[in-house]
Structures are given as structure tokens and as C-alpha cells.
């Protein structure tokens, strides 16, 4: 039985290949190898007999906010529940850390809606604008990423 776990450092090159494949189709933002090593502890992966088949990361912004990033499931495994269990892994860690709200910027809002996320506006995420968006050439012009948030006590009908 395969399961979601932390990546090993020896898997970071494979992790980059998984991300690069999604980057090439304009689905997620690129990550350099250096960034991946620096932030490897943010990640969870899902591996099967063919290698890494999925990944996700939880990036903490501040005391009460974290971003779900780089959620990817290998093409041949999509729509089999892997994305949901990867997401659950980072949400569970966010709860353990006491983070009340997470957000995502995504081109796949349908998936996140099914997991309880609701659409918001970038203006509701001023920290993200200051940190990343303000430096992005697409900000306010051609940005096609949809910001969404999830209050963790509402996830999966689980009350905390
Ligand atoms: C988005 C993604 C991670 C979803 O992973 P997945 O393993 O295919 O999703 P799951 O099988 O866990 O799906 C969970 C639910 O979401 C639905 N869903 C998944 N992808 C969907 C999509 N693109 N559109 C609508 N619904 C979708 C599933 O049908 C399922 O619904 P159900 O609970 O009613 O059966 C995957 O499609 C992917 O890697 N996409 C490319 C990269 C990407 O866009 N990542 C998001 C960047 S933040």
C-alpha cells in the first residue's frame, strides 16, 4: 500500500521532474533545485512502483496563515483520490501547528472547492501580495490564478 510521506533528499531531483512536467503545461509555478532543497521539509510526496507520483507543500507565511503550494498528481494517477490525500496531509500538519487558515492560488478551483476551499480575492491576502505578487509581471494584468481559502475548522465537516 503506497502512502503519503516526507520526501528523501535523494528524491529531490525526481520531485523537480514531477514539478517541471506540470510547469511545462502552465499548471504550477517553477521551482529551482536550490529552492526545493531549501524547502524540502515543506513537502509531502506520494510514491508508487514507478517513482514519485504526487507532491504538495505547505509554506508558512506567518502566525495564522500558510499557503498550500505545488499540489501535483502524475497524469496517469489523476482522479483516483491521490490529490485529496496529499492535501489532507498538509491540512493535518497545519492543524497540528495551530494554523487557522490556509490559502492556495490555483488554476484548478474545482478540485479545491470539493475540498471545502472558497474563492476569495488577492486583496484579502495582503501578505501574499507584498511577498510574491507585487514582484510578478502578471500581477493585476494577466494573472489567471484563483485565490482560495480554507478555514481549517470547517474542513471535511470536522469541528475542532
Ligand atoms: C489538481 C490535482 C492535484 C487533483 O488531483 P487528483 O488526484 O486528480 O484529485 P482527486 O482524485 O483526489 O479528486 C478529488 C475530487 O476532486 C475532483 N477533481 C479532481 N480534479 C478535478 C478537476 N480538474 N476538475 C474538477 N474536479 C476535479 C475529483 O473528481 C474528486 O471528486 P469526488 O470527490 O466528487 O470524487 C491534479 O489534477 C493535478 O495534478 N493537476 C495538475 C496540477 C495542478 O493543476 N495542480 C493544482 C495547482 S495548486
Amino acid at each position: 500500500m503506497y502512502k503519503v510521506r516526507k520526501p528523501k533528499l535523494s528524491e529531490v531531483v525526481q520531485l523537480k521532474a514531477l514539478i517541471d512536467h506540470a510547469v511545462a503545461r502552465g499548471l504550477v509555478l517553477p521551482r529551482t533545485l536550490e529552492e526545493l532543497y531549501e524547502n524540502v521539509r515543506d513537502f509531502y510526496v506520494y510514491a508508487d512502483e514507478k517513482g514519485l507520483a504526487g507532491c504538495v507543500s505547505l509554506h508558512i507565511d506567518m502566525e495564522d496563515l500558510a499557503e498550500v503550494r505545488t499540489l501535483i498528481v502524475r497524469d496517469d494517477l489523476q482522479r483516483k483520490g491521490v490529490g485529496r490525500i496529499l492535501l489532507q496531509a498538509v491540512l493535518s500538519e497545519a492543524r497540528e501547528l495551530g494554523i487557522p487558515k490556509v490559502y492556495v492560488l490555483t488554476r484548478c478551483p474545482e478540485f479545491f472547492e470539493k475540498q471545502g476551499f472558497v474563492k476569495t480575492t488577492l486583496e484579502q491576502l495582503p501578505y501574499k501580495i507584498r511577498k510574491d505578487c507585487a514582484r510578478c509581471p502578471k500581477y493585476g494584468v494577466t494573472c489567471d490564478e484563483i485565490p482560495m481559502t480554507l478555514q481549517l475548522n470547517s474542513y471535511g465537516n470536522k469541528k475542532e
Side-chain angles (χ1 to χ4, degrees):
M1 180 65 186
Y2 307 116
K3 60 176 185 182
V4 169
R5 58 168 171 78
K6 288 293 197 182
K8 299 180 195 317
L9 279 185
S10 58
E11 292 173 315
V12 170
V13 170
Q14 238 190 98
L15 177 61
K16 181 160 172 20
L18 183 71
I19 296 169
D20 284 350
H21 183 70
V23 170
R25 290 178 298 147
L27 298 171
V28 298
L29 293 177
R31 304 283 169 203
T32 64
L33 210 46
E34 290 77 9
E35 265 181 288
L36 291 177
Y37 282 115
E38 274 179 23
N39 299 295
V40 69
R41 282 176 292 187
D42 283 357
F43 276 85
Y44 286 86
V45 293
Y46 180 91
D48 66 7
E49 72 288 347
K50 295 188 207 164
L52 286 196
C55 65
V56 67
S57 76
L58 179 75
H59 188 79
I60 296 168
D61 278 353
M62 56 167 77
E63 182 192 0
D64 56 358
L65 190 66
E67 180 179 7
V68 176
R69 288 179 172 177
T70 323
L71 175 62
I72 299 167
V73 175
R74 202 178 59 212
D75 297 354
D76 61 302
L77 264 193
Q78 287 182 11
R79 303 285 183 131
K80 292 184 166 74
V82 176
R84 192 170 43 77
I85 61 167
L86 280 163
L87 183 63
Q88 278 173 355
V90 289
L91 297 181
S92 162
E93 184 177 349
R95 284 196 191 92
E96 278 172 27
L97 288 164
I99 298 169
K101 185 165 90 170
V102 297
Y103 69 95
V104 66
L105 265 68
T106 184
R107 296 181 182 87
C108 189
E110 300 84 1
F111 168 82
F112 287 96
E113 256 160 12
K114 288 207 161 181
Q115 311 309 318
F117 281 71
V118 292
K119 287 181 186 165
T120 184
T121 60
L122 267 182
E123 288 61 39
Q124 299 299 312
L125 298 167
Y127 183 84
K128 176 68 180 172
I129 295 180
R130 283 199 303 277
K131 185 170 62 101
D132 293 326
C133 301
R135 291 181 285 139
C136 176
K138 289 185 171 179
Y139 176 51
V141 192
T142 54
C143 178
D144 56 354
E145 293 194 304
I146 297 167
M148 302 182 81
T149 57
L150 178 73
Q151 299 289 339
L152 285 176
N153 60 7
S154 69
Y155 177 70
N157 300 321
K158 186 176 171 188
K159 302 284 179 219
E160 291 180 341

